[in-house]
Amino acid sequence: MQIAIVGTGPVGRALGQAFSAADHEVVIGTRDPDQTKQREEWAGLDLPIAAYHDLTADVFINATNGQSSLAALRAVGDALNGKVVIDTSNALDFSHGFPPSLFVSNTDSLAEQLQRELPEARLVKMFNTMANQMMVNPGGLRNDSTVFVAGNDPAARQTAASLAGDLGWSDVFDLGDLTAARGLEMYLPLWVRMFAQIGRPEFNIKVVR
């Protein structure tokens, strides 16, 4: 499958390498390909890098920070129409320091805002409830844990779940339509507090049922 990763931070880099290792055809999207290629963390990585507006793929993954997500996806443009767009971003607001607040919550979510602005995309919320280390290595903990999917298109949720399976996820919890992204995003303040207490990002939750 052709996968375009939108964003060049730690999440984009981790997912790009992981999906490439899982035999998917991966391209990394960025505002400035030349500048990205010069960054130390991208040196030696055998992944093609392209400008946002040049991206084409079967599936897109939004790996930008929440405050930049809409601008980045708008820059990708019509290539998103009809495609599954997996949104890993969070509505974290660090403007008042730590711990962060959320710039949207309760009756709306960042994922729903993105879907409204990109009505032809088939948006799925996934991977936002964990650090990138866990996204790509679910077997790194002593016990299995849970990854969630939410989206208005059932087939798009299935595609996202299948891709999670390619990374080793066996417990994919389908939460239904995209309004479930409100709860997924509002979990992040709790995640941040747990991270502060645990002192490392390699942890996750398990839904026992």
Side-chain angles (χ1 to χ4, degrees), residues 106-171:
N106 295 317
T107 59
D108 199 4
S109 65
L110 176 58
E112 290 172 275
Q113 291 181 350
L114 296 175
Q115 182 68 91
R116 287 196 298 271
E117 293 291 333
L118 305 163
E120 300 303 316
R122 302 161 63 204
L123 197 134
V124 178
K125 196 77 180 185
M126 188 171 74
F127 287 139
N128 76 298
T129 55
M130 64 193 72
N132 68 80
Q133 294 91 334
M134 286 304 308
M135 297 177 193
V136 301
N137 185 28
L141 301 177
R142 288 192 297 270
N143 301 299
D144 68 334
S145 58
T146 304
V147 63
F148 302 95
V149 294
N152 294 334
D153 185 320
R157 297 199 305 269
Q158 291 175 1
T159 296
S162 177
L163 287 172
D166 290 343
L167 299 185
W169 287 95
S170 58
D171 184 12

Side-chain angles (χ1 to χ4, degrees), residues 45 48 70 80 89 155 159 176-177 194 201:
L45 291 183
L70 181 56
L80 299 175
S89 66
T159 296
D177 71 73
M194 288 192 288

Side-chain angles (χ1 to χ4, degrees), residues 60-72:
F60 291 80
I61 299 178
N62 174 37
T64 63
N65 72 70
Q67 294 182 326
S68 303
S69 292
L70 181 56

Side-chain angles (χ1 to χ4, degrees), residues 7 19 32 36 42 49 56 58 73 77 83 145 159 189:
F19 280 118
D32 188 333
T36 298
W42 287 95
I49 297 175
T56 59
D58 302 312
L73 293 176
K83 302 299 176 63
S145 58
T159 296

